Amino acid sequence: MLTDEVLPDLTASRPRRPVRMPAAVPAWMAAVPLAGLALLRVAGWEASTLPVGLVALTPFAAGVAVAAALLGAASRSRVTIAVTTVIALLFAWWVVPRAVGGRQEAGGHPLRVLTANLNEGRADPWGVIDLIKRLRPDVVTLEELTPWLEESLDADGLSRLLPYRVAQTGDGPTGTGIFSTRPLKERTGLFQPVGHHMPVAEATTPDGTPFEIVAVHPVAPVPETVGEWELGVKTLPPAPTSGVTRVLSGDFNSTLDHAVLRNLLGTGYVDSAAETGNGLSMTWPASHRLFPMVAIDHVLVDRRSFPVSASVQDLPGSDHRAVFAELRIAPGR
């Protein structure tokens, strides 16, 4: 009888469809940590090493934000699209101007500035001298300048290339110096340095226009010195609104995304690299094992003057890349 027959299992022959992850899932997996990073940056919370390090990676996060926005668009979810688009636009607002540059002006008096961190005296002296010969800076700031490296640099020709100096050498990372083709007059009392030596000098451009330069090097924001790092940047002198132009040159141990440096820029400085469209050129760490991931070396100048070019330069033996900037210095008024 028909009722005794075994009916075939029709479902067994049907191929199972693979379970697909909705496009919104990876979009949200990227969007949530990006939103947390954006909140850290907006709030300026830099009380420990972790947030300081995360905020430093903002330029890389901007690329992730673009990818998240594309995934959001593919999800066809209005909420996902809206959230990922807002996040991508926010990071683009912060980062894109550094690759575009700012104002373009003519006039002013030329000044060529070079800054280099010497890796606690481990940098190759001939590499430093070669950089100076090739770029022909008018003024140089050297961080982590040890007494023995200063002697080696002089033996290799530094004192002939840059005969004037205000140098405060020291062991390890503490030493800093300003070297110039023209006479320097050390200035004291402008601010109270916190951390390493940070000398200040008055000088003139090659055509005689006066300016002031501060060699900058606060401590690094490692776990035991985050507070000292923040205070070291906070105590740097604000941009002047009258008198001679001020240049801040050195290893700030801070990126353009750290609140402490953004606040300093807010007093009236511009960053040479960002102002000339090279603000995404990273300077640290520079070694054969690692590629530079953050830009912590800067040449800042107050807004009455302006940069016309900036570049990063490899320096053998150092864990930093040097920064070279060509400025136009406005007459003091």
Side-chain angles (χ1 to χ4, degrees), residues 275-301:
E275 197 75 357
T276 57
N278 291 295
L280 298 181
S281 297
M282 305 305 174
T283 65
W284 183 88
S287 71
H288 65 279
R289 296 188 185 92
L290 299 171
F291 64 92
M293 292 182 288
V294 293
I296 59 176
D297 302 86
H298 307 277
V299 175
L300 310 185
V301 63

Side-chain angles (χ1 to χ4, degrees), residues 113 115 139-143 176-178 187 190-191 193 197-202 211-217 232 235-238 240 245-252 264 269 298-300:
V113 180
T115 183
V139 63
V140 175
T141 61
L142 299 177
E143 301 82 52
T176 313
I178 304 172
R187 179 177 177 186
L190 178 64
F191 74 109
H197 295 306
M198 292 190 244
V200 182
E202 297 174 354
F211 69 95
E212 184 177 75
I213 185 162
V214 181
V216 176
H217 192 206
T235 55
L236 290 170
T245 287
R246 180 174 298 146
V247 177
L248 305 185
S249 172
D251 170 12
F252 287 69
L264 179 65
Y269 291 109
H298 307 277
V299 175
L300 310 185

Side-chain angles (χ1 to χ4, degrees), residues 145-236:
L145 176 66
T146 59
W148 58 87
L149 184 56
E150 184 181 31
E151 291 178 4
S152 295
L153 289 169
D154 283 335
D156 291 336
L158 180 63
S159 57
R160 294 189 300 274
L161 294 167
L162 301 167
Y164 304 97
R165 71 186 62 186
V166 174
Q168 299 173 3
T169 61
D171 294 334
T174 61
T176 313
I178 304 172
F179 301 81
S180 174
T181 59
R182 295 178 62 81
L184 294 171
K185 179 181 178 182
E186 185 173 9
R187 179 177 177 186
T188 58
L190 178 64
F191 74 109
Q192 180 60 50
V194 175
H196 306 314
H197 295 306
M198 292 190 244
V200 182
E202 297 174 354
T204 58
T205 64
D207 62 4
T209 301
F211 69 95
E212 184 177 75
I213 185 162
V214 181
V216 176
H217 192 206
V219 299
V222 296
E224 61 271 17
T225 61
V226 171
E228 187 180 356
W229 160 77
E230 186 174 20
L231 185 60
V233 181
K234 278 183 177 179
T235 55
L236 290 170

